[in-house]
Amino acid sequence: MQQNNSHKQTKFRDHSAETNLFLRRALIAFAVIIVMVIVLLSKLAHLQIFSYGYYNTKSNNNRIEIIPIPPNRGIIYDRNGVALATNNTIYQLNIIPDKIRNLNEQLEQLKSIVNLTDEDIENFQKERLNYKSHRAVPLKYNLTQEEIAHFVVNQHLYPYVNITGTQHRYYPYGSALTHVLGYVSKINGQDKIRLEEQNKITEYVGTNNIGKIGIERFYEDLLHGQPGYEEVEVNNRGRIVRLLNHHDPEAGEDVYLTIDLKLQLYIQKLLEGRRAAVVALDPNNGEVLALVSSPSYDPNLFVDGISSTKYKELLNDPKKPLFNRTMLGSYPPASTVKPFLAVSALSEGVITPKTVVYDPGYWQLPGTTKRFRDWMRWGHGKVDTTKSIEESVDTFYYQVAYDLGIDRINYWMKKFGYGERSGIDLSPNEETRAVLPNRDWKKSRYKQSWLQGDTIPVGIGQGYWTATPLQMAKALTILVNEGVVYTPHLLLKKKSDVLDTALPKQNKPLPIEDSSLVNLISKSNWQIAKQGMYRVMFGSRGTARKVYADAQYKAAGKSGTAQVYGLKNDEIYNADSIPEHLRDHALFIAYAPFDKPKIVLAIVLENGGGGSTNGGAVAKHILDYYLLGIESTNLETTDSSIRRDD
């Protein structure tokens, strides 16, 4: 009974329903497939048609690279065509850091292969910040042949490291011209900001270095040139497969300087071991023949980036080799200013060619007991203008300063270039105005009013007055030319000027400034000052007559002894009893030949003693060499430690 009931409850399969279900599922699946195909086709259309340009470019960027080619930097020559700054080919190790998984590990491995130092790695990490991703970054410069050989043997282990040749700035005369040429060094963040502001950043793609100071900086636009490029196909390891396109770079302009290398080297040798500065100009056009600051330093140290240890050495050197004394050194001009004050006083009518004063060895400020001493304690007796220059009579110029007053002194000395930059073709940051004092200056500097007593030491180039050797040389050039002012300059010509035969050389403009001194000062007043300077060297009482007793040419000059500290009323100067840094500076200005000057000199020997003896001796050696070809480095100077001379 139960079996029958069970049999009655059994159901048979509904094939029609199953077929309908299958068909519905098949249709849904087919619809999904159709939709997916449509989506796929749409995506393909988007990629292959609508976005073809974009992805094609992306693809090419993965396959094609633009490699910048830096231009060769222009060569710098002296006036006679001797190369002062050149380019050498060196080999550097480059690495693509973004493609290396274990960069630090690989750097450690390279240490033993190419003598990679911790400092090299530190510099690389800093420089890496200046490069775009996937670009090769210099890891080590100036590889030796041995280092190159070691790396080539192991190159298969380092697919993203390679060696390339590059141009490297080189200064063959080392420290002799650093304060003229300056140097190039790695482009830093500040350089990039400046280049971006000037819209020049694209001109430095692929370039590591830029002029930092000196001629290298001032004429950077001439010397740098324009970069080229190579369009290359690369593989997935960054290796070049083939060259697709090439555009040559445009080399920088070669330039010729006014510097006479032989004279520059001779003066440097002459000043060896001294802290000193010498400026030599051609008074006929303002060309700088020599610009020597001693001691100096080797600019080659900076080209690839100077080590922090070496830089600290230079920075902390008590002799200050980094300091350009010719343009940044501010010294009391001392008695070298007396010819200029004499011309000014004659022009103002404060004195006349017939003025005679009596010098007892001191000058007393009217209405006070304050006395200003002469360098010759017993005095010079009766003194006229010519004798005041010949014997460097301090009391005469105390009176001149008193009668002129600080306002007129300031007015006239500005005409001679004191208190102003010279206009030389170097960065203004590399030259100081020094100090030509006046009332406003003292008020601003010390919050004090100008006193009459402040004016008196200014009459002998002391007190608040300071000047640079370049200012002294320019002032003397103005005197030699009787008021015509030539701007000191270092650029003689560019190579393109030499090649451009269509431009007549005689039409080349000279850097000249207008000067009202030509009309303000009579020829007779100029001649009085010049005659006094001639007698400094050849007069019977000239302060430098002993030094120039055997001179084979006629010259004129003026000594100066700049006091670093003042003496008390009864104190006697003795250099042996005081520290060297407190001893007097020796100064000397000169020009020769007397009738047709070819050279003007300004010399400062820091803590060098008497200007007429020691400064005059240096000047004579230089004039002997330049005018007669007599070379001597046996510089004998007179011991002036017992007293102060002028």
Side-chain angles (χ1 to χ4, degrees):
M1 190 70 179
Q2 289 180 348
Q3 291 180 351
N4 290 336
N5 291 337
S6 175
H7 179 74
K8 287 179 181 180
Q9 290 176 355
T10 302
K11 294 182 178 180
F12 294 96
R13 294 175 59 186
D14 189 344
H15 293 284
S16 177
E18 289 180 356
T19 300
N20 290 334
L21 179 62
F22 173 77
L23 289 174
R24 284 197 301 272
R25 289 177 176 176
L27 287 171
I28 292 171
F30 183 73
V32 170
I33 292 171
I34 292 297
V35 170
M36 292 181 67
V37 168
I38 291 172
V39 170
L40 180 61
L41 291 174
S42 299
K43 191 64 176 175
L44 286 172
H46 173 73
L47 292 172
Q48 297 293 328
I49 300 173
F50 301 109
S51 299
Y52 171 79
Y54 172 77
Y55 287 104
N56 182 59
T57 301
K58 292 279 286 184
S59 174
N60 283 335
N61 285 343
N62 291 333
R63 181 177 62 89
I64 298 172
E65 281 196 13
I66 304 298
I67 299 178
I69 307 173
N72 287 341
R73 195 169 180 83
I75 307 299
I76 303 175
Y77 298 94
D78 87 329
R79 64 187 304 112
N80 298 309
V82 180
L84 308 178
T86 62
N87 301 312
N88 292 342
T89 299
I90 65 163
Y91 294 92
Q92 66 185 34
L93 190 69
N94 307 301
I95 187 169
I96 307 177
D98 293 323
K99 293 196 174 184
I100 300 174
R101 183 173 298 176
N102 298 313
L103 179 61
N104 291 333
E105 181 181 333
Q106 194 158 118
L107 292 175
E108 283 296 321
Q109 294 171 2
L110 288 169
K111 280 186 175 181
S112 59
I113 297 174
V114 293
N115 298 318
L116 194 65
T117 66
D118 291 337
E119 190 164 13
D120 290 330
I121 295 174
E122 183 182 347
N123 291 334
F124 157 74
Q125 297 290 9
K126 291 178 182 177
E127 196 160 348
R128 182 183 174 185
L129 301 175
N130 296 324
Y131 283 77
K132 293 181 179 179
S133 59
H134 304 296
R135 289 288 188 183
V137 182
L139 179 58
K140 183 179 176 67
Y141 294 93
N142 213 3
L143 296 172
T144 65
Q145 292 299 321
E146 185 179 358
E147 289 168 345
I148 293 172
H150 283 176
F151 177 75
V152 169
V153 171
N154 296 277
Q155 189 167 11
H156 65 283
L157 300 174
Y158 306 100
Y160 300 112
V161 184
N162 61 25
I163 292 175
T164 58
T166 186
Q167 290 293 297
H168 180 268
R169 200 61 158 174
Y170 177 64
Y171 303 98
Y173 295 97
S175 63
L177 291 145
T178 307
H179 294 296
V180 176
L181 302 178
Y183 56 81
V184 300
S185 193
K186 293 179 181 178
I187 296 174
N188 58 29
Q190 290 182 338
D191 295 323
K192 285 193 169 185
I193 292 171
R194 178 165 52 86
L195 291 171
E196 286 172 352
E197 290 174 350
Q198 297 171 351
N199 295 320
K200 293 179 181 177
I201 193 68
T202 55
E203 298 175 16
Y204 286 81
V205 176
T207 301
N208 293 326
N209 291 346
I210 192 171
K212 296 290 186 176
I213 60 171
I215 287 292
E216 292 279 28
R217 174 168 181 171
F218 192 85
Y219 288 110
E220 172 67 24
D221 289 347
L222 276 179
L223 295 166
H224 174 62
Q226 296 293 324
Y229 65 87
E230 283 185 344
E231 189 177 355
V232 298
E233 184 178 349
V234 297
N235 60 20
N236 64 339
R237 290 189 171 187
R239 303 285 183 189
I240 296 174
V241 177
R242 63 190 175 105
L243 176 65
L244 301 177
N245 194 8
H246 178 87
H247 183 76
D248 288 326
E250 183 180 331
E253 182 96 64
D254 294 346
V255 298
Y256 292 79
L257 302 186
T258 59
I259 292 293
D260 184 325
L261 176 63
K262 290 183 179 179
L263 180 63
Q264 180 87 9
L265 293 175
Y266 178 70
I267 295 173
Q268 186 200 34
K269 188 182 295 185
L270 205 62
L271 300 180
E272 189 172 358
R274 294 174 178 265
R275 288 172 289 107
V278 173
V279 177
L281 304 179
D282 184 339
N284 300 294
N285 47 34
E287 293 176 359
V288 180
L289 301 173
L291 197 74
V292 182
S293 177
S294 176
S296 185
Y297 60 97
D298 187 356
N300 293 300
L301 295 170
F302 287 81
V303 176
D304 294 327
I306 189 170
S307 69
S308 56
T309 302
K310 187 62 181 177
Y311 185 68
K312 285 178 182 177
E313 253 179 59
L314 292 173
L315 201 60
N316 297 326
D317 190 328
K319 293 184 178 180
K320 299 181 179 179
L322 295 172
F323 185 63
N324 183 358
R325 290 168 164 82
T326 62
M327 295 169 57
L328 290 172
S330 294
Y331 308 93
S335 293
T336 63
V337 303
K338 289 174 180 176
F340 310 108
L341 286 167
V343 167
S344 304
L346 286 165
S347 301
E348 285 283 354
V350 168
I351 57 174
T352 72
K354 295 182 179 180
T355 296
V356 175
V357 299
Y358 181 77
D359 169 31
Y362 64 88
W363 182 88
Q364 188 165 323
L365 184 64
T368 72
T369 58
K370 174 65 176 177
R371 288 184 173 184
F372 294 84
R373 294 191 304 183
D374 192 280
W375 69 269
M376 186 177 286
R377 296 178 64 85
W378 50 88
H380 298 264
K382 292 182 179 181
V383 180
D384 62 9
T385 306
T386 304
K387 184 178 179 180
S388 74
I389 298 174
E390 176 186 358
E391 298 185 29
S392 196
V393 182
D394 291 340
T395 55
F396 188 92
Y397 290 94
Y398 293 145
Q399 185 67 50
V400 164
Y402 179 79
D403 291 337
L404 275 175
I406 192 59
D407 297 328
R408 287 194 288 185
I409 290 174
N410 187 270
Y411 168 80
W412 283 101
M413 292 306 102
K414 273 190 175 180
K415 296 286 187 184
F416 286 101
Y418 289 104
E420 302 289 344
R421 294 189 179 93
S422 68
I424 193 171
D425 42 350
L426 291 173
S427 170
N429 296 331
E430 297 174 45
E431 182 179 12
T432 179
R433 297 176 186 272
V435 176
L436 179 61
N438 57 29
R439 300 176 192 278
D440 292 338
W441 173 84
K442 188 182 179 186
K443 196 75 173 176
S444 173
R445 178 71 174 81
Y446 294 105
K447 312 301 181 188
Q448 296 174 359
S449 298
W450 188 269
L451 303 176
Q452 199 170 42
D454 296 330
T455 305
I456 309 308
V458 172
I460 61 167
Q462 295 278 172
Y464 295 120
W465 193 352
T466 62
T468 69
L470 184 56
Q471 286 175 337
M472 298 177 205
K474 181 178 179 179
L476 182 53
T477 299
I478 296 171
L479 187 145
V480 167
N481 292 314
E482 299 184 357
V484 178
V485 184
Y486 291 106
T487 303
H489 59 283
L490 287 159
L491 181 65
L492 182 66
K493 58 191 174 185
K494 299 175 292 183
K495 188 174 183 180
S496 58
D497 294 336
V498 179
L499 298 175
D500 188 1
T501 56
L503 179 65
K505 291 182 180 179
Q506 63 268 25
N507 290 343
K508 180 183 176 183
L510 293 172
I512 186 170
E513 300 172 2
D514 293 330
S515 175
S516 57
L517 285 176
V518 175
N519 300 320
L520 286 175
I521 300 174
S522 68
K523 190 172 184 65
S524 61
N525 290 345
W526 293 115
Q527 292 303 318
I528 290 172
K530 288 182 179 181
Q531 190 60 33
M533 294 180 73
Y534 174 80
R535 288 173 58 174
V536 166
M537 295 176 167
F538 300 102
S540 60
R541 304 277 295 177
T543 55
R545 67 190 184 281
K546 293 180 181 179
V547 177
Y548 288 86
D550 63 345
Q552 300 177 41
Y553 46 82
K554 298 300 181 183
K558 185 68 195 77
S559 58
T561 302
Q563 300 177 15
V564 177
Y565 79 101
L567 294 175
K568 297 178 182 178
N569 286 336
D570 297 322
E571 186 179 0
I572 297 176
Y573 177 79
N574 187 340
D576 293 335
S577 64
I578 60 175
E580 182 185 354
H581 71 278
L582 292 178
R583 296 174 187 172
D584 295 341
H585 299 321
L587 292 83
F588 205 87
I589 59 174
Y591 67 92
F594 180 69
D595 294 327
K596 293 184 178 180
K598 296 180 180 178
I599 185 172
V600 158
L601 293 175
I603 298 165
V604 175
L605 308 178
E606 288 187 9
N607 312 116
S612 59
T613 49
N614 299 336
V618 172
K620 185 173 185 297
H621 276 71
I622 297 171
L623 294 176
D624 284 350
Y625 176 80
Y626 189 73
L627 298 175
L628 306 174
I630 298 174
E631 184 173 355
S632 173
T633 54
N634 182 24
L635 182 60
E636 296 180 1
T637 56
T638 304
D639 181 10
S640 59
S641 63
I642 304 302
R643 62 178 176 82
R644 281 175 164 158
D645 71 359
D646 219 349

